[in-house]
C-alpha cells in the first residue's frame, strides 16, 4: 500500500513515516518547507508532484498544525481517488472531521485519529490512539488501520468527535493550562526554580519536572491545543475554583476549605488507588537515589541519557541532585536527572565489549574426584574475571592436570587478579604447576 503524509517533514509526520515504512508501506511525504533532505534521511519519497501523489496514494494522512488543518483538508481532499482513505492526526477532532466530510468525495473514506503520545516516544507499543470514524464512511479502512496499530501493541479507543473534544478539553486543555500557568507564576514571582530544588519534597520534584517538560516543548503546539472550542468552559470553571479557594484562604475559612476538598475527593472516586500509584512513582525516584547512596565508595557505571556515553568510576559523593564519580584521580559531577545507573549485568556487558581485556593461563593439579567444570564456574564468579575456559586436560598416574585460561577485565591489574585466583585454587586443594 502507498501512504502520503502531508506535513511529513515535521516531527510527528516523520514518526509516522518511519512507522508505516517499517510495516511495508510505500511512503511519500510532503511539507510546505520543501525539506527534501528529511525524505532522504528517512529513506522515503518526497512528493515533488503532489497532485499525482495524492491521486495514486491509498492513504493520505494530514499531519499539520491544528490552525491550518481544515484549510489543508479543503485543498487536499477533493483530489483524492475513489476507495482511498483520508485521515488526520490532530488533537482536535470536530473541525477536522467536518472538513473531511465536507471536502472529500463521497467514495473516499474518512478516519479521524489522535495519537495520545508525542514523537519522542520510540514505539507505539503500550500507547493509546483515539479514532473518530465517520461511521458510514469508515467501513473498509477502520478495521485495517485498527488492526495495524493493535498488532503493534497500541490500545485503541473509539469516540465521536464532539465527545473527544470535550474529553480532551480536560485531559489536555486543563492539564497543560494548569502546568503552564505554574510556569508563568514562577516567572511573575521571579522565583528561583533551580534553588528551590535544594528544598524539594518528592511530590514537588515530580510536579516541577512535569512543568519543565511542557515548557521545553513547542509552544505553538500547546497554544493550538488550547484552541479546542470546548476548552473555554473548562478554563472558566478552573479560574472560578481558583478564585473560590483563594477567597477562602483570605477569609481564613478552614472549614470551608476542608469541606471543598472533601467534596472534590468524593467526586474523584478511588483516591486510594491514586495514592498507591503516586507512591509507586515517588518510590521509584527515591529507590534510584538510595541505590546511588549505597554505592558510595564502590565502582559503578552511569549512562548519560542524552549523549549515550557510559562513565565508570568510584562513587565519591551523592547529593539530592548530583553524583560525583572518580576515575584515575579525576572527579566528574553529573546531574542525577541526566544519567541512569547501570546494573551489574549491564556493566559487565559494557566492559566485555569495550575494554581491551587480558588473558592469563593458570595450570593446576586438581584434587582427586574433583570436577574441573565446577572449579571453572567458581573461578568465573570472582571479581575482575570476564570469562574462564578450560584449554587443556590430561591425566597421569591418577592425577588430573587442568589449564584454565582467564580473561581479565582490561581496567584491572592482571597480576593481582591472577594471584587472587591462584590463592582461591590453593584454598580448595589444588596445586599450582
Amino acid at each position: 500500500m502507498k501512504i502520503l503524509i502531508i506535513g511529513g517533514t515535521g516531527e510527528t509526520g516523520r514518526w509516522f513515516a518511519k512507522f508505516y515504512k517499517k510495516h511495508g508501506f510505500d511512503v511519500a511525504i510532503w511539507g510546505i518547507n520543501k525539506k527534501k533532505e528529511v525524505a532522504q534521511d528517512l529513506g522515503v519519497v518526497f512528493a515533488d508532484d503532489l497532485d499525482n501523489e495524492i491521486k495514486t496514494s491509498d492513504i493520505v494522512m494530514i499531519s499539520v498544525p491544528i490552525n491550518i488543518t481544515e484549510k489543508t483538508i479543503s485543498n487536499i481532499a477533493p483530489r483524492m481517488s475513489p476507495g482511498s482513505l483520508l485521515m488526520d492526526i490532530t488533537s482536535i477532532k470536530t473541525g477536522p472531521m467536518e472538513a473531511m466530510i465536507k471536502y472529500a468525495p463521497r467514495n473516499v473514506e474518512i478516519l479521524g485519529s489522535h495519537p495520545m503520545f508525542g514523537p519522542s516516544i520510540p514505539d507505539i507499543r503500550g500507547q493509546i490512539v483515539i479514532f473518530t470514524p465517520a461511521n458510514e464512511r469508515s467501513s473498509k479502512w477502520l478495521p485495517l488501520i485498527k488492526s495495524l496499530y493493535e498488532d503493534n501493541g497500541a490500545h485503541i479507543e473509539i469516540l465521536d468527535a464532539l465527545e473527544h473534544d470535550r474529553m480532551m478539553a480536560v485531559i489536555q486543555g486543563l492539564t497543560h493550562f494548569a502546568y503552564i500557568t505554574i510556569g508563568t507564576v514562577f516567572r511573575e514571582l521571579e522565583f528561583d526554580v533551580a534553588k528551590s530544588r535544594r528544598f524539594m519534597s518528592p511530590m514537588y520534584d515530580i510536579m516541577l519536572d512535569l512543568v519543565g517538560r511542557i515548557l521545553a516543548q513547542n509552544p505553538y503546539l500547546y497554544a493550538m491545543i488550547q484552541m479546542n472550542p470546548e476548552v473555554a468552559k473548562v478554563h472558566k470553571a478552573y479560574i472560578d475554583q481558583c478564585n473560590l479557594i483563594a477567597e477562602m484562604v483570605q477569609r481564613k475559612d478552614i472549614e470551608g476549605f476542608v469541606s471543598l476538598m472533601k467534596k472534590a475527593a468524593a467526586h474523584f472516586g478511588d483516591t486510594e488507588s491514586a495514592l498507591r500509584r503516586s507512591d509507586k512513582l515517588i518510590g521509584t525516584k527515591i529507590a534510584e537515589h538510595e541505590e546511588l547512596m549505597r554505592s558510595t565508595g564502590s565502582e559503578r557505571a552511569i549512562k548519560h541519557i542524552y549523549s549515550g556515553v557510559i562513565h565508570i568510576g568510584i562513587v565519591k559523593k551523592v547529593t539530592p541532585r548530583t553524583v560525583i564519580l572518580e576515575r584515575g584521580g579525576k572527579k566528574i559531577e553529573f546531574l542525577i536527572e541526566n544519567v541512569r545507573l547501570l546494573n551489574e549485568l549491564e556493566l559487565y556487558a559494557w566492559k566485555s565489549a569495550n575494554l581491551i581485556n587480558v588473558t592469563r593461563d593458570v595450570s593446576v593439579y586438581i584434587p582427586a574426584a574433583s570436577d574441573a567444570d565446577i572449579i571453572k564456574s567458581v573461578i568465573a564468579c570472582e571479581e575482575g574475571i570476564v570469562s574462564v575456559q578450560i584449554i587443556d586436560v590430561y591425566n597421569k598416574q591418577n592425577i588430573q592436570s587442568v589449564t584454565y585460561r582467564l580473561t581479565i577485565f582490561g581496567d584491572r591489574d592482571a597480576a593481582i587478579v591472577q594471584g587472587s585466583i591462584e590463592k582461591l585454587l590453593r584454598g580448595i586443594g589444588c596445586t599450582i604447576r
Side-chain angles (χ1 to χ4, degrees):
M1 292 185 195
K2 185 175 180 181
I3 183 170
L4 168 64
I5 302 177
I6 305 296
T9 56
E11 291 184 1
T12 301
R14 294 183 210 188
W15 194 98
F16 277 96
K18 288 186 282 188
F19 174 80
Y20 278 94
K21 180 186 176 187
K22 178 181 177 181
H23 296 290
F25 284 72
D26 291 329
V27 180
I29 64 173
W30 182 87
I32 198 168
N33 52 23
K34 305 289 185 183
K35 289 185 176 179
K36 296 183 181 181
E37 67 274 14
V38 173
Q40 186 175 359
D41 290 343
L42 294 172
V44 301
V45 172
F46 186 86
D48 285 305
D49 186 347
L50 181 58
D51 193 61
N52 182 65
E53 291 292 345
I54 294 169
K55 291 177 180 177
T56 58
S57 292
D58 298 291
I59 303 170
V60 176
M61 174 181 279
I62 308 296
S63 175
V64 299
I66 296 168
N67 60 321
I68 61 170
T69 295
E70 293 173 39
K71 181 179 179 181
T72 303
I73 289 169
S74 70
N75 180 42
I76 300 296
R79 295 185 270 170
M80 293 181 62
S81 296
S84 60
L85 171 68
L86 176 63
M87 64 185 298
D88 79 312
I89 51 173
T90 54
S91 58
I92 298 175
K93 294 270 72 77
T94 306
M97 285 299 294
E98 290 174 351
M100 287 192 287
I101 291 169
K102 178 178 179 181
Y103 293 108
R106 287 292 305 171
N107 50 16
V108 170
E109 290 205 352
I110 292 163
L111 180 61
S113 74
H114 181 191
M116 296 299 292
F117 58 92
S120 62
I121 296 297
D123 193 85
I124 202 170
R125 185 168 301 279
Q127 302 302 317
I128 294 172
V129 181
I130 300 172
F131 286 147
T132 58
N135 293 329
E136 73 284 2
R137 296 181 63 178
S138 304
S139 57
K140 170 189 170 184
W141 283 101
L142 174 59
L144 291 173
I145 302 298
K146 184 172 181 285
S147 177
L148 172 64
Y149 287 13
E150 286 180 334
D151 288 349
N152 285 281
H155 176 74
I156 304 299
E157 292 287 350
I158 296 179
L159 296 173
D160 66 50
L162 182 57
E163 184 182 6
H164 169 278
D165 287 357
R166 287 173 176 167
M167 193 67 72
M168 289 306 115
V170 173
I171 292 173
Q172 291 186 312
L174 175 59
T175 304
H176 299 164
F177 186 75
Y179 282 139
I180 292 167
T181 301
I182 291 172
T184 62
V185 168
F186 287 156
R187 178 193 57 78
E188 181 68 19
L189 295 175
E190 297 183 354
F191 182 71
D192 191 333
V193 176
K195 184 178 180 180
S196 75
R197 287 185 180 273
R198 291 164 49 191
F199 319 108
M200 62 192 177
S201 66
M203 200 67 208
Y204 178 78
D205 183 21
I206 292 169
M207 184 277 294
L208 211 57
D209 285 345
L210 291 172
V211 172
R213 177 182 177 84
I214 289 176
L215 295 178
Q217 298 184 65
N218 186 342
Y220 287 99
L221 171 62
Y222 285 86
M224 291 302 106
I225 288 172
Q226 294 299 317
M227 301 305 126
N228 181 338
E230 299 296 320
V231 158
K233 63 186 75 172
V234 174
H235 284 177
K236 184 177 185 306
Y238 177 73
I239 293 167
D240 287 347
Q241 290 300 304
C242 287
N243 288 331
L244 175 62
I245 293 173
E247 289 168 4
M248 286 180 175
V249 172
Q250 288 172 0
R251 296 195 308 268
K252 302 189 185 307
D253 182 2
I254 295 174
E255 292 305 318
F257 187 100
V258 169
S259 175
L260 193 65
M261 188 168 170
K262 284 182 175 179
K263 289 176 181 177
H267 176 81
F268 188 96
D270 191 3
T271 54
E272 288 299 319
S273 293
L275 188 62
R276 288 193 297 272
R277 286 191 295 270
S278 58
D279 279 345
K280 188 175 180 180
L281 179 61
I282 292 169
T284 299
K285 291 183 73 72
I286 293 173
E288 180 186 43
H289 191 269
E290 288 181 343
E291 177 66 17
L292 281 169
M293 292 287 290
R294 286 193 295 270
S295 299
T296 302
S298 303
E299 182 187 65
R300 296 301 299 262
I302 58 175
K303 181 176 183 179
H304 200 279
I305 294 170
Y306 303 107
S307 69
V309 175
I310 290 175
H311 302 267
I312 299 176
I314 304 299
V315 179
K316 299 301 292 184
K317 184 178 180 180
V318 180
T319 74
R321 293 202 64 207
T322 64
V323 56
I324 297 174
L325 289 188
E326 182 181 50
R327 187 173 182 83
K330 182 180 179 182
K331 293 180 180 179
I332 307 176
E333 185 175 54
F334 301 92
L335 288 173
I336 290 174
E337 65 257 31
N338 291 341
V339 298
R340 182 176 70 82
L341 186 65
L342 300 188
N343 60 39
E344 290 183 7
L345 289 176
E346 290 173 314
L347 175 57
Y348 175 88
W350 186 89
K351 282 187 171 184
S352 299
N354 292 277
L355 296 181
I356 300 174
N357 298 319
V358 178
T359 59
R360 294 288 179 91
D361 293 343
V362 177
S363 297
V364 294
Y365 296 113
I366 68 173
S370 295
D371 189 318
D373 285 317
I374 291 177
I375 294 174
K376 169 188 162 184
S377 66
V378 171
I379 297 172
C381 294
E382 289 298 292
E383 191 173 352
I385 296 295
V386 180
S387 62
V388 183
Q389 294 175 289
I390 297 175
I391 61 170
D392 184 50
V393 177
Y394 78 88
N395 295 290
K396 184 178 181 180
Q397 297 177 345
N398 296 322
I399 297 175
Q400 187 176 30
S401 173
V402 182
T403 299
Y404 294 100
R405 175 157 291 168
L406 316 177
T407 301
I408 301 169
F409 282 121
D411 63 343
R412 297 301 180 101
D413 186 315
I416 291 175
V417 174
Q418 181 178 348
S420 175
I421 297 302
E422 290 178 353
K423 182 179 179 180
L424 168 69
L425 290 167
R426 292 191 193 96
I428 59 177
C430 299
T431 304
I432 308 298
R433 283 172 50 198

